[in-house]
Amino acid sequence: MSLPRFFYADSLQSQARILLPKELAHYMQRVLRLTDQSPVVLFNGQGGEYHATLEYEGKLVYAHIGAHHAIERELPWAISVAQGLATGDKMDWICEKAVEMGVAQLFPIAARYSTLKLVGERQEKRLQHWQRIAQAASEQCGRNQIMPVHPVLTLPQLIQQHSTKAQFIFCDPDAKDDFPTVLKQAAQSNTHHWVLLIGPEGGWSEEEKEIALEAGAMGMRFGSRVLRTETAAIALVGAIRGQLGWTD
C-alpha cells in the first residue's frame, strides 16, 4: 500500500526534524487519523521526495525526515493547457485531471465566449482554489511538482507572452489538419513545450482563431465528434501520451 503523500512548502533535508503547519497537522491527526510514528512521504516541488516519520507532541506534529529519493513523474516534454474559462465546477475537474495526466501548466483564458467572468478578488479566490486542487491532485497521483495555475489572460495576451517559448496547438473542429498530422509536425519541431488551446463552451471566436493562427499556432481537429470543453484537454493529452509512447 502506498504511503500518504503531503506537500510541504518549505525546505526539506534528510535527518532534519521539522514542525508541520497546524492545518497540515490537523488534517493528518483528525481527518486521516494517522498515528504517532506513521510513515509518510513529503515533497516540496524542488525535486524528488522524502520518506519521513511523524512524531506527535500533543497537538504538535513533527516529521523526522529520512532519505531523499530523486524521483520525478513528469512527461518527457512539457504539455500545457490554455483553457477557455468554463462554468460551474468544470474548471475544478479540468485542473484536477490535468495534474493527473501530467500537464505542466494551466493557463485560464478569458475567451470572448466565456460565460464565466473573473475579476479582482473573485479571480484571486478562484485561482487560489484551483492551486489547492492542483496541490491535492499531486499529492494523490504521485507527482513531485505542483502544476502552476496562472492568472487569467486573454488569448492575445497569452500568445504575446509565450509565442517564442512554446508551440501552440489550436483545437478547432473545422481545422484542415487532423490529430496525427499535427502531432507528427509538432514532434519534429525543436520546441518541446506544447500549449493546447481549448475553447470554452461557446468555442473560440473567429478573431481569436485568426490571432492564434497568425502567431504560428497549428490548427488541429480531433476526430469527427465535437468534445465538451472539460473533455477536450484531458482526451488530447491522453492521446498524445499514447501516440508518443509516454506510458510512465
Side-chain angles (χ1 to χ4, degrees):
M1 184 174 179
S2 59
L3 297 178
R5 291 168 39 84
F6 304 96
F7 176 72
Y8 178 75
D10 207 337
S11 61
L12 292 168
Q13 186 175 355
S14 294
Q15 305 309 314
R17 184 173 184 261
I18 60 174
L19 176 64
L20 298 177
K22 290 182 180 179
E23 183 177 351
L24 178 56
H26 179 270
Y27 181 67
M28 290 174 166
Q29 287 183 304
R30 303 303 179 188
V31 179
L32 297 183
R33 303 291 184 181
L34 297 178
T35 59
D36 184 47
Q37 300 302 308
S38 290
V40 297
V41 172
L42 299 178
F43 67 100
N44 60 4
Q46 298 177 21
E49 61 189 27
Y50 293 81
H51 284 199
T53 303
L54 300 182
E55 299 176 0
Y56 289 177
E57 291 186 7
K59 293 184 179 180
L60 301 180
V61 179
Y62 292 86
H64 183 78
I65 311 301
H68 175 258
H69 300 273
I71 299 172
E72 298 297 341
R73 301 179 178 94
E74 302 301 300
L75 299 181
W77 299 345
I79 299 178
S80 297
V81 171
Q83 174 66 52
L85 287 172
T87 56
D89 60 358
K90 294 173 185 174
M91 291 295 295
D92 293 7
W93 193 91
I94 292 167
C95 182
E96 179 181 78
K97 302 311 172 188
V99 172
E100 293 178 18
M101 293 300 293
V103 169
Q105 303 176 69
L106 179 62
F107 297 94
I109 301 298
R112 179 176 179 181
Y113 296 139
S114 290
T115 303
L116 178 64
K117 308 295 182 183
L118 294 178
V119 294
E121 184 178 353
R122 187 183 181 207
Q123 178 184 148
E124 185 58 34
K125 288 183 177 179
R126 195 63 67 89
L127 290 173
Q128 292 175 2
H129 172 68
W130 291 332
Q131 197 64 74
R132 288 194 295 271
I133 289 175
Q135 175 182 319
S138 282
E139 291 173 340
Q140 181 275 325
C141 76
R143 288 181 70 175
N144 288 324
Q145 303 296 326
I146 303 297
M147 179 189 75
V149 181
H150 293 278
V152 177
L153 298 171
T154 64
L155 187 60
Q157 287 172 332
L158 174 73
I159 290 174
Q160 183 179 23
Q161 293 180 17
H162 295 275
S163 61
T164 61
K165 308 171 187 176
Q167 175 61 59
F168 290 102
I169 299 177
F170 187 84
C171 300
D172 176 10
D174 298 321
K176 176 177 66 70
D177 293 325
D178 60 10
F179 170 73
T181 300
V182 173
L183 182 62
K184 182 178 180 180
Q185 293 173 351
Q188 291 174 345
S189 71
N190 293 324
T191 303
H192 289 172
H193 181 197
W194 303 342
V195 179
L196 306 178
L197 303 178
I198 310 294
E201 289 97 336
W204 297 112
S205 69
E206 286 300 315
E207 180 182 7
E208 288 168 328
K209 177 178 178 179
E210 183 178 349
I211 289 171
L213 297 182
E214 286 185 353
M218 296 178 176
M220 183 189 72
R221 69 178 186 276
F222 186 58
S224 58
R225 293 167 298 280
V226 177
L227 301 180
R228 295 173 65 93
T229 186
E230 69 269 29
T231 305
I234 310 308
L236 275 169
V237 175
I240 291 170
R241 289 180 54 175
Q243 287 293 311
L244 298 181
W246 297 347
T247 56
D248 290 339

